[in-house]
Amino acid sequence: MPDVAADGLRVLFCGINPGLMTAATGHHFARPGNRFWPALHRSGFTPRLLRPSEQEELLSYGLGITNVVARATARADELSAEEYREGGRLLALKVTRLRPRWLAVLGITAYRVAFDDRTARVGPQARTIGDTRVWVLPNPSGLNAHWTPATLAEEFARLREAAGR
């Protein structure tokens, strides 16, 4: 699954891994029940609700998308701890190369395993990767019902405010 990325982004969003629909379409967060695109819009990151097929438009807003693990699965729980740790190592290299202001990892469990940080909570982290700050956002999957569309958008908005324009 190709990244939507460029040097010096405001925020590089990082999903856990591509779902099967994402892998089939080539568009990040392509599953209809995924709340990434609505949260991005409702939080003020984008002026309108983008469709997954419009993902390249994110670059014009200083935003991008990558994943912790490249392998597509039906569910994130199909990934091993080793895949997460290796994905975290490769992600750190990518972030060092691309130098976004913020890396936003979409999923607390993925972040905890990939970066060996069992105490991490949703929100800004003490960890940096070079000059890049790290923020953990809730996983926008519809399976993560603990976070409503409204509270998900509120957390995205906290990051947007921290990242500036």
Side-chain angles (χ1 to χ4, degrees), residues 88-142:
R89 186 186 73 75
L90 295 173
L91 178 59
L93 293 172
K94 184 181 298 183
V95 167
T96 299
R97 187 179 76 250
L98 294 175
R99 302 176 331 273
R101 277 191 254 161
W102 287 91
L103 171 67
V105 179
L106 296 154
I108 188 70
T109 302
Y111 177 80
R112 286 176 178 164
V113 177
F115 291 96
D116 193 29
D117 185 351
R118 294 180 186 191
T119 63
R121 301 280 181 256
V122 168
Q125 306 302 304
R127 170 188 311 271
T128 59
I129 301 172
D131 291 333
T132 299
R133 304 259 338 257
V134 179
W135 194 291
V136 176
L137 289 169
N139 183 337
S141 167

Side-chain angles (χ1 to χ4, degrees), residues 24-154:
T25 63
H27 302 125
H28 292 272
F29 303 103
R31 189 163 196 63
N34 193 291
R35 300 169 301 169
F36 174 78
W37 298 103
L40 208 61
H41 172 60
R42 286 182 69 177
S43 66
F45 269 115
T46 60
R48 66 179 180 84
L49 178 60
L50 298 176
R51 294 183 306 275
S53 62
E54 298 174 303
Q55 64 188 12
E56 295 294 326
E57 197 170 313
L58 289 176
L59 296 173
S60 69
Y61 305 118
L63 309 173
I65 306 175
T66 190
N67 288 292
V68 175
V69 177
R71 183 169 71 91
T73 61
R75 296 173 51 105
D77 62 8
E78 296 174 39
L79 300 171
S80 70
E82 294 79 28
E83 286 177 289
Y84 278 112
R85 284 192 292 273
E86 177 64 7
R89 186 186 73 75
L90 295 173
L91 178 59
L93 293 172
K94 184 181 298 183
V95 167
T96 299
R97 187 179 76 250
L98 294 175
R99 302 176 331 273
R101 277 191 254 161
W102 287 91
L103 171 67
V105 179
L106 296 154
I108 188 70
T109 302
Y111 177 80
R112 286 176 178 164
V113 177
F115 291 96
D116 193 29
D117 185 351
R118 294 180 186 191
T119 63
R121 301 280 181 256
V122 168
Q125 306 302 304
R127 170 188 311 271
T128 59
I129 301 172
D131 291 333
T132 299
R133 304 259 338 257
V134 179
W135 194 291
V136 176
L137 289 169
N139 183 337
S141 167
L143 298 174
N144 189 11
H146 173 75
W147 288 84
T148 67
T151 58
L152 196 60
E154 287 171 13

